[in-house]
């Protein structure tokens, strides 16, 4: 799973690396470090200054922001194929949140020194990375608005509608009500009640392996979405 050639193929598919010479991509691949994290292992802590760009080859992560009183908000889940930690690489600032493996996860660490050299030679790459960061900022602003303005039912409905699988959502082993509640800014008991209500209304079905959307139009209304 840690084959450099495999990483090279992945790099060739990245939008922000498109157009770079094969030799440049090979340089990035050969300078990268491979690490495997066990379930519940911390990839980096909030406050750490991490000088590598991360590429998640397989597995799943969660990005968590914690308060002084111990409460935690899951900011987002990271799936295989995603790049993260642009803040540490470009801004050279401490990480604003903690990254935790939800299952065994294989990650490539692309060092800042090599990345900076490539960016200096190919400025368009920096613009693509900044665009990627901007998308994540927009998602965080949306999350903040949802937590403030929408009910748990609306937030959960929107979460289901946003899944790329469509109307049949496969539940990963870690996708339990505790993790989903943390992401939605609520507690498992409240989420359980919402799931029961949506199930009773005939909008979804949920078991250990899947969540099925049965009435997308009505779920859109429950999510308080427009022009979805």
């Amino acid at each position: 799973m840690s084959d450099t050639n495999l990483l090279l193929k992945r790099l060739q598919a990245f939008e922000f690396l498109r157009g770079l010479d094969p030799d440049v991509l090979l340089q990035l691949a050969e300078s990268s470090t491979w690490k495997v994290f066990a379930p519940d292992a911390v990839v980096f802590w909030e406050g750490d200054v991490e000088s590598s760009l991360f590429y998640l080859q397989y597995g799943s992560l969660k990005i968590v922001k914690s308060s002084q009183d111990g409460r935690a908000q899951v900011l987002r889940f990271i799936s295989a194929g995603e790049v993260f930690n642009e803040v540490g690489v470009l801004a050279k600032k401490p990480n604003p949140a903690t990254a935790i493996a939800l299952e065994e996860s294989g990650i490539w660490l692309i060092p800042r020194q090599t990345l900076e050299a490539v960016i200096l030679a190919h400025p368009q790459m920096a613009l693509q990375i900044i665009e990627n960061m901007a998308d994540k900022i927009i998602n965080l602003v949306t999350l903040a608005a949802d937590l403030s303005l929408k009910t748990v039912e609306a937030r959960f409905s929107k979460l289901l509608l946003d899944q790329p699988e469509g109307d049949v959502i496969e539940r990963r082993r870690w996708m339990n009500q505790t993790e989903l509640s943390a992401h939605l800014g609520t507690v498992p008991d409240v989420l359980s009640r919402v799931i029961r209500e949506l199930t009773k209304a005939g909008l979804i079905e949920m078991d250990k392996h899947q969540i099925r959307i049965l009435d997308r139009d009505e779920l859109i209304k429950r999510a308080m979405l427009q022009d979805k």
Side-chain angles (χ1 to χ4, degrees), residues 75 134-149:
L75 301 179
D135 288 340
K136 292 175 181 177
I137 291 171
I138 291 171
N139 290 336
L140 289 175
V141 171
T142 300
L143 173 63
D146 287 349
L147 291 174
S148 300
L149 303 174

Side-chain angles (χ1 to χ4, degrees), residues 56-146:
L56 180 61
Q57 182 165 307
Y58 72 85
S60 301
L61 308 177
K62 62 179 177 180
I63 304 297
V64 182
K65 181 72 175 179
S66 300
S67 64
Q68 292 183 348
D69 61 5
R71 290 182 297 171
Q73 171 67 51
V74 176
L75 301 179
R76 67 188 183 101
F77 297 113
I78 297 178
S79 302
E82 292 193 54
V83 173
F84 59 103
N85 192 46
E86 296 95 334
V87 170
V89 172
L90 295 182
K92 300 180 183 178
K93 298 289 186 181
N95 281 298
T98 298
I100 302 173
L102 290 164
E103 56 190 334
E104 182 181 290
S105 300
I107 300 175
W108 286 100
L109 282 66
I110 305 172
R112 175 195 295 156
Q113 184 176 2
T114 305
L115 204 59
E116 284 182 340
V118 174
I119 289 174
L120 288 174
H122 305 274
Q124 76 277 8
M125 176 179 165
L127 293 176
Q128 290 288 346
I129 295 177
I130 291 170
E131 183 178 328
N132 192 39
M133 291 179 66
D135 288 340
K136 292 175 181 177
I137 291 171
I138 291 171
N139 290 336
L140 289 175
V141 171
T142 300
L143 173 63
D146 287 349

Side-chain angles (χ1 to χ4, degrees), residues 3 9 18 25 27 30 35 43 66 76 79 83 87 89 98 100 135 144 152 159 169 190 193 199 210 222:
D3 185 357
K9 292 180 180 180
R18 187 164 296 171
L25 296 178
Q27 180 186 1
E30 291 181 340
K35 289 187 177 181
V43 177
S66 300
R76 67 188 183 101
S79 302
V83 173
V87 170
V89 172
T98 298
I100 302 173
D135 288 340
V152 175
L159 177 67
I169 303 159
V190 173
R193 186 160 61 248
T199 301
Q210 293 179 334
R222 298 291 182 101

